[in-house]
Amino acid sequence: MPTETPTARRFRDAEEIIEHLRGLGELGSVEANGFSELDHGLQTAAILREVAPGDVELQIAGLIHDLAHPWDGPGQPRHASMGAIAVRGVLGDRVADLILSHVPAKRYLVTIREEYASILSPDSVMTLAAQGGPMNTEEVAAFEESVDLQAMVDLRIADDGAKVPGKIVAPLSTYEDAIRQIASRHTAS
Ligand SMILES: [Fe+2]
């Protein structure tokens, strides 16, 4: 897993996260024209609602997994760790770790499933090299030790299927209360 640096940006509460997500609706995704960063997150969350209807934390992690894209540079080598740092204090360790895992999960799936690289978007293939490329045997073994392995894999597969310009899915308002509830659970504990 990438390390987290102490100087990174951090959200203070759920409202700041929701506001940031609204802003992502104005930001074009690198994946396609007329397709915003928010559209990508919403499509990821919509897939996870079907795959794991009872796992709201996973759905929210899917919604926000790329929220640090505007802060990272070419190849997006740090956006997963930047996003995890930014939300950990508000949404807790599980959501943050799921965000952190979506880049290693791509490296893992490319390594263990021969056909997986063929479903990656051209941009995802391009960023793979900057993100470390396929895993070696030790990295695969370590990743498979993750307690949340299935959710990490589910999020990554949803991510790769969530790049369909024009596809209509549930809007951000569907998820806002869930973000607030996760935040209140986390800050209350
Ligand atoms: Fe993504």
Side-chain angles (χ1 to χ4, degrees):
M1 293 271 182
T3 51
E4 296 180 2
T5 56
T7 53
R9 273 181 93 136
R10 290 178 172 82
F11 294 107
R12 281 172 297 188
D13 55 30
E15 301 312 319
E16 274 193 1
I17 295 173
I18 293 166
E19 202 48 46
H20 178 78
L21 292 173
R22 289 193 186 118
L24 294 184
E26 307 299 314
L27 188 67
S29 162
V30 292
E31 301 289 350
N33 285 333
F35 184 62
S36 73
E37 286 282 355
L38 177 60
D39 291 328
H40 172 57
L42 290 171
Q43 288 187 12
T44 306
I47 293 169
L48 290 168
R49 279 174 95 191
E50 288 179 19
V51 171
D55 194 344
V56 177
E57 286 190 340
L58 175 58
Q59 295 160 23
I60 296 304
L63 172 67
I64 67 177
H65 73 281
D66 277 339
L67 60 66
H69 264 180
W71 308 334
D72 202 359
Q76 296 286 341
R78 296 180 311 277
H79 78 285
S81 57
M82 292 168 110
I85 297 166
V87 307
R88 189 176 295 280
V90 177
L91 300 180
D93 288 335
R94 182 164 185 251
V95 172
D97 287 343
L98 284 169
I99 293 172
L100 193 56
S101 76
H102 85 273
V103 169
K106 173 169 75 171
R107 298 181 56 223
Y108 171 70
L109 287 167
V110 161
T111 310
I112 65 147
R113 293 191 191 171
E114 215 172 280
E115 76 291 356
Y116 189 76
S118 67
I119 70 156
L120 291 175
S121 69
D123 185 70
S124 249
V125 171
M126 197 182 73
T127 54
L128 177 64
Q131 293 162 345
M135 288 182 164
N136 62 33
T137 313
E138 290 75 30
E139 288 173 315
V140 166
F143 194 74
E144 288 179 341
E145 293 291 310
S146 309
V147 285
D148 225 2
L149 178 64
Q150 188 59 52
M152 291 172 173
V153 168
D154 287 346
L155 193 159
R156 183 66 223 187
I157 291 171
D159 179 3
D160 292 311
K163 301 175 179 182
V164 186
K167 185 179 175 192
I168 306 294
V169 293
L172 179 59
S173 56
T174 310
Y175 302 97
E176 291 180 7
D177 280 346
I179 295 172
R180 294 184 183 107
Q181 277 163 19
I182 294 169
S184 64
R185 255 202 328 268
H186 178 67
T187 42
S189 62

